[in-house]
Amino acid sequence: MRKSITCIGGLALSCAVASTVFAGAVENKTNWSAEYIRTLNRNAATDYADIAAYNPAGTVKLDEGFIINGSVQFLSKKYENNITLGPATVLSLESDEPSYIPGIFAVYNKGLFSIFGAFSNVGGGGKVDFSQGDATTLLIASSLIGQPFCPFNPLNPPAGGVCVAGPASQQLTGESHYLGYTLGAAYAINDMFSFSVGLRYVNASKELNASVTLLDASRNPYNVPISFEQDGDGWGGIFGANIAPNEKLNIGMRYETKTNIDLKAKVPPGLGTPILAGLGIINGVENPRDLAALLGLGASYWISPKLRTEVNLTYFFNENADGGGDENNVDNGYDIGITLEYIFNEKLTGSVGYMFTSLGMDPEYMLPENPELDANTLGAGIAYAFSEKFHTNFSIGNSFYTDDSFVAPPPIEYKKNVFFMALGLEYRFM
């Protein structure tokens, strides 16, 4: 049981449990704009200012002038930990806490030269609320049964002695954000080739609040709180290239370097402090939690004057990102997808997109709070131009995750589903 606590509780608590959908990476996320939700493939796009994040070298292809673009996403999430406690007993622990994700992008284009900026949530990006606990709290509670509480509070040991039953109650909430601030420039050598370089600052924060209430032989309840906060930051580079061999074909490439981030912990004193200390989460101590490097590739092709398709591959170098040892339990991951976009008229465009995500992690190393399951994602939406200057994007979609399970013990099954919608606005000062 203690091995299970280390594998599951250690991973979950050290990650602070709240990364949100999209991307075959442990921390990195790429759902930054309404245009992305509408197509799921933006690595070779050259139409809206959100490409400052997806195809920065392609920003020289945008309309000349200053363009500002903003998006907000709503994600309805359902996460499940189904734990088999007996032949006919399955404990289902759930979180359905929604998330809201903003994104802001800006481009100033002078034809051969452009300056771009972006603010987005490049990692983490959500909240979970397991009001009845999850696999982490259940396994921590199980590890405490039969132990006296006095080692946690030697100056005031409880009169009831050791814990014999539990948990009488349990709960867990977690939240995580990796906010990225990007500034860069692009230059077109000619009509075919353009290149970009950018610098991104990432500010990371994580928070977890959990508790389990156990009973002693006299049925006295003892609450064990487990909470901490972590903060850190880092810098990374972004390099891009755009190749347009002809009017129909466009190729985009983007490489983001690894961002070294050390998260410094704040741990309040309490009964849960020794549990966290055993996992390396100690007040004032830093733990590495890098954003992995990634390579984004895309090819866009106009099948006809009104029909465009784009294929994408985004590859995440998870194995080279320092996660305090967690990188040894995960393979490099990837997203691969395709979109079809149709122009109905000069104002209305519609699209549908598909993406497959693979992380390559065995379920026993996944976060119970947000297991990194493989997924098939569908997205669709419309873009509507109210005028030459004012454009909107509205999109919806769903990520269908593949269930996975393992024996801890006890046997644990992970399920997850996410429905999302997004609204984007863009204004062009031409």
Side-chain angles (χ1 to χ4, degrees):
M1 181 61 69
R2 291 185 180 278
K3 182 178 180 181
S4 300
I5 291 294
T6 301
C7 292
I8 297 178
L11 279 173
L13 294 176
S14 65
C15 294
V17 305
S19 56
T20 305
V21 291
F22 298 55
V26 175
E27 293 291 356
N28 308 61
K29 297 294 169 283
T30 56
N31 52 316
W32 300 323
S33 69
E35 293 86 345
Y36 177 86
I37 299 300
R38 180 168 65 82
T39 63
L40 299 176
N41 297 268
R42 298 290 290 163
N43 291 344
T46 57
D47 49 1
Y48 289 95
D50 71 313
I51 65 171
Y54 296 103
N55 183 20
T59 54
V60 295
K61 300 289 186 181
L62 296 172
D63 292 335
E64 289 196 22
F66 178 69
I67 307 173
I68 187 166
N69 179 299
S71 293
V72 62
Q73 299 173 48
F74 167 77
L75 296 92
S76 176
K77 306 172 298 182
K78 184 176 181 180
Y79 301 159
E80 296 181 52
N81 292 184
N82 295 321
I83 305 170
T84 301
L85 300 178
T89 304
V90 177
L91 180 63
S92 182
L93 303 173
E94 301 179 358
S95 170
D96 57 2
E97 185 74 15
S99 291
Y100 301 88
I101 302 177
I104 301 174
F105 314 91
V107 176
Y108 178 72
N109 181 29
K110 287 293 291 182
L112 294 179
F113 178 78
S114 68
I115 299 174
F116 57 85
F119 165 75
S120 55
N121 196 89
V122 297
K127 183 178 181 179
V128 292
D129 184 358
F130 287 86
S131 60
Q132 296 180 318
D134 69 344
T136 298
T137 56
L138 184 66
L139 290 171
I140 289 175
S142 299
S143 72
L144 296 175
I145 292 177
Q147 296 185 33
F149 282 94
C150 52
F152 300 117
N153 192 6
L155 299 180
N156 186 27
V162 302
C163 169
V164 297
S169 65
Q170 53 183 329
Q171 66 83 31
L172 183 147
T173 62
E175 191 167 4
S176 173
H177 300 282
Y178 279 58
L179 301 180
Y181 305 82
T182 303
L183 183 65
Y187 181 75
I189 297 176
N190 51 41
D191 289 341
M192 182 181 295
F193 296 101
S194 59
F195 299 91
S196 67
V197 61
L199 184 66
R200 184 172 66 193
Y201 169 75
V202 178
N203 181 264
S205 63
K206 299 191 176 192
E207 181 178 354
L208 181 136
N209 290 285
S211 66
V212 294
T213 300
L214 306 172
L215 303 176
D216 66 11
S218 301
R219 309 300 292 178
N220 297 313
Y222 293 100
N223 181 261
V224 182
I226 305 165
S227 64
F228 66 89
E229 297 178 4
Q230 290 179 312
D231 295 283
D233 57 12
W235 294 85
I238 303 175
F239 304 92
N242 193 84
I243 305 171
N246 53 56
E247 292 183 355
K248 291 186 175 182
L249 178 64
N250 192 78
I251 300 169
M253 294 176 281
R254 176 180 94 259
Y255 178 75
E256 300 180 8
T257 67
K258 179 178 68 172
T259 304
N260 296 320
I261 296 177
D262 292 322
L263 297 176
K264 187 175 182 178
K266 291 183 180 179
V267 181
L271 294 178
T273 303
I275 296 175
L276 293 172
L279 302 171
I281 302 175
I282 302 170
N283 188 54
V285 175
E286 295 182 344
N287 289 292
R289 201 70 195 181
D290 298 344
L291 277 182
L294 69 81
L295 176 65
L297 303 173
S300 170
Y301 185 78
W302 287 94
I303 300 172
S304 72
K306 290 193 172 184
L307 181 62
R308 184 183 75 93
T309 187
E310 182 177 336
V311 292
N312 277 195
L313 168 66
T314 305
Y315 192 83
F316 302 89
F317 300 90
N318 299 322
E319 297 175 8
N320 294 324
D322 190 352
D326 292 345
E327 69 276 10
N328 299 322
N329 301 318
V330 65
D331 296 330
N332 291 334
Y334 63 88
D335 299 332
I336 188 169
I338 185 171
T339 189
L340 289 173
E341 186 174 58
Y342 187 79
I343 300 176
F344 293 97
N345 53 52
E346 63 180 9
K347 289 184 175 293
L348 181 63
T349 299
S351 62
V352 61
Y354 166 78
M355 181 177 68
F356 173 74
T357 297
S358 175
L359 185 62
M361 179 181 286
D362 292 331
E364 58 263 39
Y365 299 116
M366 294 179 183
L367 303 180
E369 292 71 29
N370 184 13
E372 296 87 348
L373 302 168
D374 293 345
N376 292 281
T377 301
L378 296 176
I382 59 172
Y384 188 80
F386 285 93
S387 68
E388 186 179 1
K389 294 183 177 181
F390 182 51
H391 296 248
T392 63
N393 278 268
F394 176 75
S395 47
I396 62 173
N398 202 94
S399 287
F400 303 90
Y401 291 86
T402 303
D403 301 345
D404 212 342
S405 61
F406 70 108
V407 177
I412 298 174
E413 179 187 42
Y414 294 137
K415 291 186 176 183
K416 185 162 75 166
N417 188 80
V418 178
F419 169 80
F420 45 86
M421 63 176 63
L423 174 65
L425 305 176
E426 178 168 295
Y427 192 82
R428 304 173 182 181
F429 300 84
M430 298 182 293

